[in-house]
Amino acid sequence: MKRNNLNLLLILTFGLFFIYSCGGGGNVGEPNDKIEEANAVKLEKPFQMKIDEKGDRDWYSVEIPAQGYLKIMAKNVPEEIEPEGAISIFEEWQSNENNFMKSWTKIPFAAAIPEKGTYHIAIIDNYNDAMSKQKFEVKFSFIEEFDDFEQNNNPKQSSTVEFDKEYKSAIYPVGDNDWFKIKTKEPGYVTVKAKNVPEALELETRYVNYDEYESSKIDVFRNYGQLPHSAAIPEPGEFYFHILDNYNDAEAEKLFDWKIEFLPEMDPAEPNNDMESAKTLNTTDTLNLAIFPKGDVDIYKLNVNKKGTLKLKAKGYETIEPEVHLAIKDTTGKNELKEIGGWEKLPAELKIPDTRNEYYVKIIDNYNDAEYPEAFTVVSEFK
């Protein structure tokens, strides 16, 4: 009889072990409300947990073997709760409870891990106002680094690149920003282009000057634009740019190809995008100018000594529809231009009513949404 009881006990023990090992993940229990009490779990090994009271915060620790990405996933989550996670590194002599390297994010999510080590993960209900006695399954997975440029998530970490050389990068995980820097030897234009971009992404770039000794370290000289996206470089030097998803809400575990190209200055009047830098336009001049990049505005100060009509006509352009506008210098001391009338498509006639005011001519693409990277000709006539 004792032998039968012993056999039964062994069978029950084996059965419980089998359920624990294979039956939807092991149980990892309380108390683990503090980071010091974190339960150690293994990568790729699912475990069971529950948020069984409002405000419950459960801590877990996991060993990460190298630089890469930690993925936090859950399934069979009770309808009552919406789990979020955050990631921290435990420091024995510091307060760690709210010192997160990855702040609260809805599960599932992935986070960049900078190096090998032990990482601590806290899991809560998103607003700490819900609970459930039902358990759900959680799993931590690891992806080894596959982007050779990482870590380059800010200007200080930026990688130096070269013109016309093809590179591979990834936007992963959500919120990833890839920063780069490059030097130019002459004024001109740069364009970042990409191909083989995963469908989930809509890539943009932004161009900046960066000086870590300034109070405002980043000085934007060309704002975000969808690739391909160009910027004018008025003088030689080093500048920075970064590539990102347009709303920072998408990711892809796949590399795309990209490069940055340089185009020498083709417009002899540049820079002339404001009143202070406007070049002189005589009434019989022939201009060679370019509307590049998108949003370019070319401004000329009109040299006239009598009233009359300025006729402008253009040739030699594609992809753009040039328009012209007449403006005068503000006379109230604001040091700005006041527009006269509306925009007119070239060829156009602009009436100059007097010689008392300073007149300026603005030339743009009609909707500021196109560009043409070659100079074209504008002929002027006055009568």
Side-chain angles (χ1 to χ4, degrees):
M1 185 66 178
K2 289 182 178 180
R3 183 178 296 276
N4 290 339
N5 288 340
L6 181 59
N7 289 339
L8 181 60
L9 181 61
L10 289 172
I11 292 171
L12 289 172
T13 301
F14 178 80
L16 289 172
F17 176 80
F18 181 83
I19 293 171
Y20 178 88
S21 302
C22 306
N27 288 296
V28 180
E30 300 280 358
N32 62 342
D33 298 332
K34 298 179 181 180
I35 192 170
E36 295 87 350
E37 301 170 334
N39 288 313
V41 297
K42 294 185 179 299
L43 293 171
E44 307 299 339
K45 296 291 185 181
F47 60 90
Q48 298 282 328
M49 66 163 291
K50 59 184 176 180
I51 304 295
D52 56 0
E53 60 181 41
K54 294 179 181 179
D56 188 19
R57 176 183 294 193
D58 289 350
W59 282 94
Y60 304 91
S61 66
V62 65
E63 296 293 326
I64 303 297
Q67 178 181 330
Y69 306 92
L70 174 62
K71 295 180 69 174
I72 299 175
M73 299 165 284
K75 70 176 184 179
N76 301 323
V77 178
E79 292 183 1
E80 298 91 333
I81 63 173
E82 295 185 28
E84 290 187 345
I87 303 174
S88 178
I89 299 176
F90 178 69
E91 297 288 348
E92 186 176 3
W93 297 99
Q94 297 182 17
S95 174
N96 299 272
E97 287 291 323
N98 296 295
N99 184 21
F100 298 117
M101 56 172 284
K102 174 69 174 177
S103 60
W104 298 108
T105 306
K106 185 177 180 180
I107 296 173
F109 71 89
I113 301 299
E115 60 186 352
K116 175 183 178 180
T118 303
Y119 292 82
H120 287 67
I121 299 95
I123 298 178
I124 62 170
D125 170 65
N126 60 346
Y127 289 109
N128 279 318
D129 61 355
M131 54 178 279
S132 175
K133 297 298 182 182
Q134 179 184 336
K135 293 180 179 179
F136 59 96
E137 185 174 301
V138 176
K139 184 173 77 169
F140 300 156
S141 294
F142 176 72
I143 301 173
E144 192 170 348
E145 184 61 76
F146 56 94
D147 185 338
D148 291 340
F149 283 114
E150 294 290 351
Q151 306 162 36
N152 64 335
N153 300 312
N154 58 62
K156 199 169 184 178
Q157 297 175 318
S158 61
S159 302
T160 301
V161 293
E162 300 174 10
F163 288 118
D164 298 315
K165 187 174 180 179
E166 293 191 12
Y167 298 101
K168 292 183 180 292
S169 292
I171 299 300
Y172 189 82
V174 170
D176 185 26
N177 269 254
D178 288 347
W179 281 87
F180 307 92
K181 59 184 174 182
I182 196 164
K183 289 185 178 180
T184 60
K185 297 180 179 179
E186 60 179 307
Y189 305 88
V190 294
T191 304
V192 175
K193 300 179 177 180
K195 66 179 182 179
N196 301 321
V197 179
E199 290 185 5
L201 301 176
E202 293 186 27
L203 297 180
E204 289 190 345
T205 193
R206 181 178 66 155
Y207 300 91
V208 309
N209 294 309
Y210 174 73
D211 187 343
E212 62 179 315
Y213 295 103
E214 294 286 342
S215 56
S216 297
K217 295 179 174 58
I218 293 178
D219 174 31
V220 178
F221 64 86
R222 180 66 166 166
N223 219 332
Y224 297 106
Q226 186 173 352
L227 300 190
H229 186 44
S230 304
I233 306 298
E235 59 186 26
E238 184 177 70
F239 68 92
Y240 295 71
F241 64 96
H242 61 129
I243 301 174
L244 68 164
D245 175 66
N246 61 347
Y247 289 108
N248 270 324
D249 61 355
E251 63 185 15
E253 295 179 41
K254 180 183 176 183
L255 296 167
F256 58 87
D257 301 289
W258 68 273
K259 66 178 179 177
I260 182 168
E261 297 177 342
F262 179 78
L263 185 65
E265 182 62 76
M266 80 294 285
D267 187 337
E270 290 287 355
N272 64 335
N273 300 321
D274 53 40
M275 185 177 68
E276 286 74 18
S277 60
K279 304 302 186 291
T280 300
L281 171 62
N282 297 306
T283 54
T284 57
D285 281 350
T286 296
L287 302 175
N288 289 301
L289 62 94
I291 301 299
F292 191 82
K294 290 178 184 178
D296 185 26
V297 180
D298 287 348
I299 302 177
Y300 299 86
K301 183 180 179 181
L302 190 58
N303 181 23
V304 292
N305 52 22
K306 63 179 180 179
K307 62 182 182 179
T309 300
L310 177 67
K311 293 185 176 181
L312 297 172
K313 52 186 178 180
K315 67 176 183 178
Y317 58 85
E318 301 174 9
T319 69
I320 60 172
E321 295 186 28
E323 288 189 346
V324 64
H325 198 103
L326 189 65
I328 62 171
K329 183 178 180 179
D330 184 83
T331 57
T332 63
K334 294 182 180 179
N335 197 35
E336 61 184 27
L337 294 180
K338 292 177 62 177
E339 295 178 348
I340 304 173
W343 290 96
E344 295 187 38
K345 185 177 179 181
L346 292 180
E349 295 186 356
L350 305 176
K351 295 189 179 300
I352 311 300
D354 57 60
T355 57
R356 297 188 308 272
N357 294 293
E358 288 186 11
Y359 288 92
Y360 292 78
V361 173
K362 295 181 178 181
I363 302 176
I364 64 167
D365 170 66
N366 61 345
Y367 290 107
N368 273 324
D369 61 354
E371 61 189 12
Y372 186 55
E374 296 181 21
F376 62 95
T377 303
V378 176
V379 177
S380 62
E381 178 185 351
F382 190 81
K383 62 180 181 179

